[in-house]
Structures are given as structure tokens and as C-alpha cells.
Amino acid sequence: MNKNIIPAPRHLLLAAAIGALSPSAMALDYKGYFRALAGSNSDHGGAACFKLDGAMSKYRLGNECETYGEFEFNQDVLTTEDGTVFKGNIMLSLHNPNSTGGGTDVGLPQVYVEGEKLPELNGASAWMGRRYYNRESLGPNDFFYWSGQGFGGGIRDVPLGQHAKFSYAWLRKDNLIPTTTGQFPPAGALAENGSNSASRHDFQLRGVPVNRNGTLELGLSLIVKDAQGSNKVDKEQLHNGYGITLQHRQLGLPGDGWNKFALQYGVGPGTGGADSAIGAIGRLTDSRRVSRVRLVEGAYAQFTPRLGAELVAIYQKDKGFTAARTLVGSTENKTWTSLGAHVVYGLTRHIKLNADVGIDSVKPDTGPTRRLTKLTIAPTISAGPGLNARPDLRLFYTYARWNDAARAAASVASPGSALSSSGAFGNSNNGSTVGVQAEVWF
């Protein structure tokens, strides 16, 4: 079990979550999500999943070998005469890195109290605790590029004028799950900085109208160290940082579709480090010479009741690492590009065809370019023909091809993984998995 997770019997965690929020089970609101996959690879082993070292995401369809679930419980604790509503919120998470067995990590990624519709804040909210905070992601590769998660507090959606809303959050580095995605094993600030600590001051302005159905969103994240160093790292080797995000959101695409285009820039710990979100607390040992520039394009549309699609494009440039700090797949000066598409066509009311393709490329400043192409076809029994209809029961075939540079990098950075020479496919440059996967949210 992950050492950063407080071990406890699962039935006790669930009982505590329900009991803490609700004196009456009838008044409890809940929602959840889970997925599970089983399969066999083309070399007759278990399911193999494909990710390029140095890329910060992988394309999901038929390519998530872990079992993962989130179960959230919400309770209105008090509604006052002026309409203010106080709520308690708890989320449990379950993660098994191997769908066919192994231990399961139990986490508590969210536990917080929020006061909504506060007259003193002109109808805005105030919260304190531990939560996911204003997360922005892309569905096909589950890429969280702008998000927050941790202990802290703040105010949300304070009206400024007719349309714009301001939010502020103070977030501490999280001792339990330091990544904004909530995934395991821990990455980012805690895993690499030990006892060093920092605060994140997060400012966001959203909803600024710029065109019909289009708004501008701005974010500034200031990373302020308060670490005193350790027996391994001197205080002078630790740094402050910042991250900036500028995003345009366009609504009104077919169905309930949208388009998002984001420009991001991070410096020092504000790059996020191993965390995918620029502005998250990254490595405090990263100086102001270390920077990350990123362009993100994402779109979703349900063109007809039967045809839906998602598109992804990412460009990211990391620079400023010295030769002594360079680690393949992690702290390296490189350019990462990613292009992907997920298309769903409903054949009948409850049978649809899922397909996706993803192309990742990582070009180090020194060394050959690494490439991975992944394709999945998945006939699916579903609640409906739409792209976002769930539950999904999928039979899938995933094929991936990579080059020699990708295999060499995997052999160093992630030995035993699908692309490495010590993995399922040895010195081959391609492989496949056939299997089944269930996914549901409720």
C-alpha cells in the first residue's frame, strides 16, 4: 500500500464518510465513477498499456490497465433564513494499478465544507478543507493541464460586473495525494521534495465575454516556499515560482459541445514538475531557469444523436535543466507534442462503436526523437448512442507502434513497461492488447 495513504479498513472508511455527513441516509446525495479493464497482450501475457516516456499523458480508450473508482458523498448541513447553504463533502478513491490483482490504495482526495450563496460575498461561496479545485482536463487522454488539489481554503465565483467571476484559493502541498489528478503513486512536490514545503496562492478570473458564446479565463498561481531545507537539500537550493494560464472557452458547438484553447507558462516550481498542471506546486529545487510553455487545444461535439467526437492537440516545451539534473522521461529539456481523436458512432440505441487514435512525440534537445502511435477499436454496449452516454461495456482491440528511441528511453526510465526491452514485447517495436473494459459514472 502507498505509504502516503492512511491505511484503514475500507468498510470503516465508507461508514465514516456516510456517518460524518448525514444523520439521515435519506438526505445524503452521492455520485461516483469507476472503471476496470481485463485483457491479454499479443505476446500472451496480461493486458499491456502504452505510454511514451516524457509525455505527460496517454490515450485512454482500451489503454487503462488500472482499476479506479471515486465515490463522493454530499450533505446539506444547514440552510439559513437568508438562503445561505452550508454543505459537507467527502470523496473516497480506490486505485489498483493492476486490474487482475495486487493491493488496492484507498484515498480521501476530498473532505471539505463549503458555504454557498453567501450574501456577504454577493452570492459567492467560501470553502475550507481538502478538495479538487477548478480542474480543467481533456477527455481522450485524461490530461489535467490546469487544476488544483490540496488542503486549504478560498472563495469561489465572486461576481465582478455582469458576467465575470473571481476566485482565490490558498493551497498547501498535500501530504496524502500531491498530484492534481489524484492518481497514484505520488508525484510532484512531495515525492521529490520530502519535508520541504510551500504554499500556492491561486487567482482566477473567469467568464469574461469576448465573443458570442465565448469567454476568456485567466489564472495566476504563485508558489511561495517556506521550506527550511533538510539534510539533503540546503535552503538556498529551494525556490519560489509561478504559473500563468490564459484560456478561451467557446460554447455552442453541436450538441452540448465546446472548444477550449489555452496558453500556459510556468517558471521554477510553478511548472508543476511531474504534475501535469502548470501552476501546481512542482519541484522546489527547480530554479527560475527552469520553464515550461504549453499550448492546449481541445474540442468536443455531438454532431448528431449518433455521431460524436473529441479532438486533442498539445505542444509543450521544457527547458532550463542542467546536465546534472537531467533524467530521461522526467527532468529533461524537451519538446512534447500530442495529437489525438476519439470518435463514437451509435449503431443502435444501445450498441455503439468507439475508436481513438493518439500520436505522441518527445524530442529531447540532445538525443533522438521518441514516437508512439496508439489505435483502439471498441464495440460497446451502452446506455445510449452518444459519446458521453454511460455505462459502457466495451470489447476492445488496442494496437501500438513505437520507434527504437522510445524503447531505449523506456528501458532506462520505466523498465518493465510495455515499451521497454524488459517489458512484454521485448525488443519489438509494436504490440497489442485485446480485452474488455467497463466504465460508469452516476
Side-chain angles (χ1 to χ4, degrees), residues 14-23 28 75 77 88 90 111:
L14 183 59
I18 297 174
L21 287 178
S22 176
L28 184 70
Q75 174 68 55
V77 179
I90 287 181
V111 52

Side-chain angles (χ1 to χ4, degrees), residues 25 80-81 209 230 297 314 317 321 345 349 424:
T80 64
E81 293 180 354
S230 66
E297 169 67 27
I314 301 168
K317 174 66 176 178
F321 293 108
Y345 183 76
R349 181 176 180 180

Side-chain angles (χ1 to χ4, degrees), residues 58-219:
K58 60 183 173 68
Y59 286 88
R60 300 176 55 206
L61 185 65
N63 199 34
E64 295 175 303
C65 289
E66 71 278 0
T67 298
Y68 183 74
E70 294 179 340
F71 307 93
E72 185 174 358
F73 305 89
N74 313 103
Q75 174 68 55
D76 288 358
V77 179
L78 176 67
T79 301
T80 64
E81 293 180 354
D82 60 12
T84 301
V85 180
F86 291 89
K87 294 185 175 182
N89 306 268
I90 287 181
M91 176 186 283
L92 305 175
S93 65
L94 305 174
H95 177 263
N96 185 319
N98 185 338
S99 292
T100 60
T104 298
D105 291 312
V106 181
L108 197 64
Q110 299 199 82
V111 52
Y112 66 97
V113 175
E114 185 166 19
E116 300 179 347
K117 304 177 183 178
L118 290 162
E120 292 84 353
L121 294 177
N122 199 18
S125 300
W127 64 274
M128 291 184 182
R130 182 169 185 251
R131 70 176 300 173
Y132 294 149
Y133 180 73
N134 287 359
R135 302 198 300 171
E136 297 281 351
S137 65
L138 302 174
N141 56 351
D142 212 24
F143 183 56
F144 287 81
Y145 59 93
W146 182 19
S147 61
Q149 196 246 323
F151 282 107
I155 55 176
R156 291 188 70 191
D157 296 338
V158 179
L160 295 180
Q162 187 175 358
H163 301 285
K165 294 184 178 181
F166 170 79
S167 299
Y168 165 77
W170 173 71
L171 296 168
R172 290 292 298 175
K173 192 168 56 176
D174 190 344
N175 284 313
L176 298 182
I177 305 177
T179 63
T180 57
T181 60
Q183 298 293 299
F184 301 89
L190 270 228
E192 299 173 11
N193 290 331
S195 62
N196 304 322
S197 59
S199 290
R200 173 182 178 180
H201 298 275
D202 189 89
F203 305 85
Q204 296 187 19
L205 182 65
R206 295 177 179 250
V208 180
V210 290
N211 62 290
R212 183 179 180 183
N213 296 325
T215 58
L216 196 63
E217 302 167 342
L218 303 96

